[in-house]
């Protein structure tokens, strides 16, 4: 197990290095000179040169890259070109709303997807199965922005049950925080729940038809214990989907935060791209990549908890 963990950590570090190179090169390849944007209208060559020297834009790319990595390891992403504030402080200010939204969305997706998927598999070919498949198809077909707008129209404008937009910090008002996050979490979790539902149903049908399940039934095991036994072997698929869908969750967060006016990490990414704020772009994309790599590393380690065979195979390498 220790060797398996070490191999996964090394793979994650190599991936992180390659991602950092791609991010740095991609940002530098964007059209537009950040020094000209900072200098304003009709700048003098001296002003542009001073700005390039101040932000290090006049240095060679390898030196800029090494400087950026060294600062990043100290959690120093420089200062925003647009606001002049430290990028690290800006990220820490925006992250709580996005992390809370992502966690609630994953909770909604896992609960709805797994429970509905198990029910559809156990009652295969019955109305419950048809209903679950129909709901899954609807969840996959409806885009997040349309569902968010309909939610605002119904629950905020027509019924007045929930606020249409805005964010209330949890420490300021737990009830207000929950009210402001319910609709965004449901909107963002719907599409992921549909994917989990279909994959859980497929895995459960395969597990319920396997030899060990037939043996368990022949020995008199109760239907509930049989389903629980099959579900554990089907969780590998669910964990894989949760890890792989993090990218879709991040992109969905950008749209959802725009719709519900949440001061989150996704909106910060969009704002930095539109304003050509290079330090913020680099920092936000890098933090997103680190989060994606860490989540997939955790998912790989959870495989060995769910399925002991993976733990044995990993330790034997």
């Amino acid at each position: 197990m220790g060797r398996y963990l070490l191999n996964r950590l090394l793979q994650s570090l190599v991936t992180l290095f390659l991602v950092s190179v791609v991010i740095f090169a991609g940002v530098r390849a964007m059209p537009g000179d950040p020094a000209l944007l900072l200098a304003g209208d009709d700048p003098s060559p001296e002003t542009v040169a001073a700005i390039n020297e101040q932000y290090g834009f006049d240095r060679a790319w390898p030196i800029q890259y090494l400087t950026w990595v060294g600062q990043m390891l100290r959690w120093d992403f420089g200062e925003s070109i647009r606001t002049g504030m430290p990028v690290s402080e800006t990220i820490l200010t925006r992250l709580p709303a996005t992390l809370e939204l992502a966690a609630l969305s994953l909770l909604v997706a896992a609960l709805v997807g797994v429970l509905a998927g198990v029910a559809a598999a156990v009652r295969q070919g019955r109305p419950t199965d048809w209903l679950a498949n129909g709901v899954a198809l609807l969840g996959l077909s409806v885009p997040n922005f349309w569902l968010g707008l309909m939610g605002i129209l119904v629950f905020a404008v027509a019924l007045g049950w929930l606020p249409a937009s805005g964010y209330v910090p949890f420490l300021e008002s737990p009830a207000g925080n929950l009210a402001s996050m319910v609709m965004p979490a449901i909107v963002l979790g719907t599409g992921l729940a549909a994917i989990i539902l279909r994959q859980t149903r497929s895995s459960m049908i395969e597990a319920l038809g396997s030899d060990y399940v037939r043996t368990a039934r022949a020995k008199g095991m109760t239907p509930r214990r049989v389903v629980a036994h099959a579900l554990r072997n089907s969780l590998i698929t669910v964990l894989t989907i949760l890890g792989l869908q993090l990218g879709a969750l991040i992109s969905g967060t950008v749209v959802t935060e725009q719709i519900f006016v949440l001061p989150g990490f996704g909106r910060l990414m969009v704002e930095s791209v539109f304003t050509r704020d290079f330090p913020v772009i680099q920092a936000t994309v890098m933090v997103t990549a680190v989060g994606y790599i860490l989540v997939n590393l955790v998912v790989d380690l959870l495989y060995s908890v769910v399925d002991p065979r993976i733990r044995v195979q990993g330790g034997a390498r």
Side-chain angles (χ1 to χ4, degrees):
M1 180 63 183
R3 188 173 179 181
Y4 172 73
L5 176 60
L6 181 60
N7 289 334
R8 290 294 296 115
L9 288 174
L10 290 175
Q11 293 173 13
S12 299
L13 290 176
V14 172
T15 304
L16 192 59
F17 166 71
L18 296 176
V19 167
S20 68
V21 173
V22 171
I23 292 172
F24 180 84
V27 170
R28 293 302 183 279
M30 292 177 61
D33 188 347
L36 292 176
L37 294 176
L38 282 173
D41 297 333
D42 196 19
S44 64
E46 292 78 11
T47 301
V48 175
I51 293 175
N52 280 324
E53 182 179 359
Q54 177 184 354
Y55 288 94
F57 296 142
D58 57 344
R59 301 175 185 174
W61 279 21
I63 297 177
Q64 291 188 45
Y65 173 76
L66 293 176
T67 303
W68 174 58
V69 171
Q71 293 175 343
M72 185 174 56
L73 293 176
R74 301 192 303 270
W75 190 250
D76 180 10
F77 296 101
E79 295 181 351
S80 169
I81 294 176
R82 181 170 58 92
T83 64
M85 295 178 57
V87 178
S88 56
E89 293 184 9
T90 305
I91 290 176
L92 291 176
T93 302
R94 297 292 193 101
L95 266 180
T98 298
L99 291 179
E100 182 182 359
L101 176 59
L104 292 176
S105 302
L106 285 176
L107 180 62
V108 170
L111 288 177
V112 174
V114 172
L115 293 178
V118 171
V122 172
R123 295 171 174 82
Q124 183 182 6
R126 300 178 184 178
T128 303
D129 186 20
W130 301 337
L131 178 62
N133 282 320
V135 172
L137 182 60
L138 183 64
L140 291 172
S141 304
V142 176
N144 287 342
F145 71 87
W146 187 87
L147 188 61
L149 293 176
M150 292 301 101
I152 292 174
L153 181 63
V154 174
F155 296 104
V157 177
L159 300 177
W161 292 354
L162 297 170
S165 61
Y167 174 73
V168 180
F170 181 81
L171 295 179
E172 180 179 323
S173 174
N177 174 266
L178 182 61
S180 64
M181 297 300 288
V182 166
M183 268 202 298
I186 293 176
V187 168
L188 190 56
T190 300
L192 183 55
I195 298 175
I196 294 176
L197 188 157
R198 293 177 67 90
Q199 294 297 328
T200 302
R201 176 185 178 275
S202 177
S203 298
M204 281 292 296
I205 290 175
E206 182 179 354
L208 291 173
S210 60
D211 293 337
Y212 71 88
V213 170
R214 285 195 291 266
T215 303
R217 286 171 173 165
K219 290 183 176 180
M221 185 178 290
T222 61
R224 180 174 297 181
R225 291 189 62 187
V226 169
V227 171
H229 196 46
L231 177 61
R232 179 170 183 178
N233 289 328
S234 302
L235 287 179
I236 292 290
T237 302
V238 177
L239 290 175
T240 303
I241 294 299
L242 288 176
L244 294 176
Q245 288 298 314
L246 178 62
L249 185 65
I250 293 173
S251 62
T253 301
V254 174
V255 177
T256 305
E257 288 177 356
Q258 289 288 108
I259 293 174
F260 293 97
V261 197
L262 297 177
F265 193 72
R267 290 192 68 193
L268 178 63
M269 294 177 65
V270 174
E271 293 168 0
S272 64
V273 170
F274 280 125
T275 58
R276 307 279 179 83
D277 198 340
F278 287 1
V280 179
I281 295 174
Q282 289 182 150
T284 53
V285 177
M286 193 65 196
V287 170
T288 301
V290 170
Y292 193 95
I293 292 172
L294 287 177
V295 168
N296 281 275
L297 177 61
V298 172
V299 168
D300 286 343
L301 296 179
L302 287 177
Y303 286 162
S304 62
V305 176
V306 175
D307 192 342
R309 294 172 298 178
I310 297 178
R311 182 166 60 247
V312 172
Q313 292 172 2
R317 294 179 181 177

